[in-house]
Amino acid sequence: MKNDIKKVSVSAEQIEEMLIRLGNQITNDYKNQEPLFIGLLKGCNPFMVDLLKHIDLYCTVAYMDVSSYAGTKSTGNVRINHDLDTNVEDKDIIVIDDILDTGRTLNAVVQLLKARGAKSVKLCVLLDKPEGRVAPIEADYVGGLVPNEFVVGYGLDYNEKYRNLPYIGVLKEEVYSK
Ligand code: IMP
Ligand code: MG
């Protein structure tokens, strides 16, 4: 699998530094609150699991599965494949996702959570691709910025593969024509 990677965009060491910084920020910002972390499957893992270890707060977790992508292009359709098992009313929510690109997915999720009565909704993403933005949304907590190219690893997939890569990288062109 690692032979398919052309270039490492974010190393495992850089990811670890991002986790420590984001964990400290969230711990400070939510000092007197008990946030509910909502992870968007499947890309939020392993980011969410590793980030939570750096957060020193009483908190709860829940997951949702939404999708807006087929292959490497955004379809613009957001579908709820698996809904939350918890009530979000009056909760302070931090939504966790792997990457903010067009913003359509996260924008739709934020609207949905607000419509269901969430007290506050903030966004935390490992990566941000600002050039890809279509929807009017920004993340409150960002690990790092990446240029507008397709990346895989550490939760990010290409046709469901490469999520288990311990770093973030760009695939060789030949992988797409396989
Ligand atoms: P958005 O609605 O366009 O912001 O889509 C965000 C979702 O698209 C992410 O949660 C990813 O699943 C997927 N995505 C966006 N960019 C990439 C990428 O470079 N690699 C893998 N998945 C991506
Ligand atoms: Mg995804």
Side-chain angles (χ1 to χ4, degrees), residues 38-45 62-67 81-82 96-97 163:
I38 297 183
L40 301 188
L41 295 168
K42 306 167 194 161
C44 70
N45 285 322
Y63 294 93
M64 261 182 112
D65 181 4
V66 296
S67 57
N81 304 315
H82 186 86
I96 311 277
D97 203 1
R163 294 191 198 274

Side-chain angles (χ1 to χ4, degrees), residues 68-69 97-99 101-105 129 150-151 156-157:
S68 74
Y69 260 66
D97 203 1
D98 47 7
I99 191 165
D101 183 15
T102 68
R104 288 190 181 111
T105 315
K129 261 190 207 174
F150 197 78
V151 288
L156 291 148
D157 71 303

Side-chain angles (χ1 to χ4, degrees), residues 37-105:
F37 288 91
I38 297 183
L40 301 188
L41 295 168
K42 306 167 194 161
C44 70
N45 285 322
F47 174 46
M48 178 150 159
V49 177
D50 288 346
L51 176 66
L52 285 169
K53 297 180 208 166
H54 293 282
I55 292 175
D56 183 9
L57 294 170
Y58 295 108
C59 62
T60 52
V61 300
Y63 294 93
M64 261 182 112
D65 181 4
V66 296
S67 57
S68 74
Y69 260 66
T72 60
K73 287 208 187 81
S74 172
T75 60
N77 302 317
V78 178
R79 197 178 54 208
I80 299 178
N81 304 315
H82 186 86
D83 209 340
L84 293 167
D85 61 358
T86 184
N87 191 338
V88 299
E89 223 172 302
D90 294 323
K91 297 266 172 65
D92 292 304
I93 292 170
I94 303 174
V95 177
I96 311 277
D97 203 1
D98 47 7
I99 191 165
L100 178 58
D101 183 15
T102 68
R104 288 190 181 111
T105 315

Side-chain angles (χ1 to χ4, degrees):
M1 176 187 67
K2 289 180 179 170
N3 280 334
D4 289 354
I5 302 300
K6 179 172 75 177
K7 177 183 85 182
V8 176
S9 313
V10 188
S11 69
E13 292 73 23
Q14 288 172 313
I15 292 174
E16 183 61 23
E17 287 169 17
M18 292 172 179
L19 295 171
I20 293 169
R21 176 170 50 79
L22 292 174
N24 287 337
Q25 278 178 0
I26 292 172
T27 301
N28 282 326
D29 292 354
Y30 285 81
K31 244 180 252 145
N32 303 312
Q33 287 155 281
E34 271 190 34
L36 165 63
F37 288 91
I38 297 183
L40 301 188
L41 295 168
K42 306 167 194 161
C44 70
N45 285 322
F47 174 46
M48 178 150 159
V49 177
D50 288 346
L51 176 66
L52 285 169
K53 297 180 208 166
H54 293 282
I55 292 175
D56 183 9
L57 294 170
Y58 295 108
C59 62
T60 52
V61 300
Y63 294 93
M64 261 182 112
D65 181 4
V66 296
S67 57
S68 74
Y69 260 66
T72 60
K73 287 208 187 81
S74 172
T75 60
N77 302 317
V78 178
R79 197 178 54 208
I80 299 178
N81 304 315
H82 186 86
D83 209 340
L84 293 167
D85 61 358
T86 184
N87 191 338
V88 299
E89 223 172 302
D90 294 323
K91 297 266 172 65
D92 292 304
I93 292 170
I94 303 174
V95 177
I96 311 277
D97 203 1
D98 47 7
I99 191 165
L100 178 58
D101 183 15
T102 68
R104 288 190 181 111
T105 315
L106 284 169
N107 196 41
V109 170
V110 171
Q111 301 310 319
L112 180 76
L113 296 173
K114 286 188 175 159
R116 288 182 181 176
K119 187 161 140 202
S120 69
V121 184
K122 288 201 175 177
L123 299 179
C124 173
V125 292
L126 178 69
L127 300 175
D128 185 6
K129 261 190 207 174
E131 292 164 58
R133 201 80 78 255
V134 174
I137 189 157
E138 293 305 327
D140 302 278
Y141 303 99
V142 177
L145 302 181
V146 284
N148 206 2
E149 62 184 344
F150 197 78
V151 288
V152 297
Y154 200 68
L156 291 148
D157 71 303
Y158 168 58
N159 287 345
E160 294 299 328
K161 283 181 265 187
Y162 305 101
R163 294 191 198 274
N164 53 319
L165 197 68
Y167 48 82
I168 313 270
V170 179
L171 288 169
K172 292 176 183 165
E173 279 79 17
E174 66 218 49
V175 176
Y176 296 111
S177 48
K178 258 188 205 169

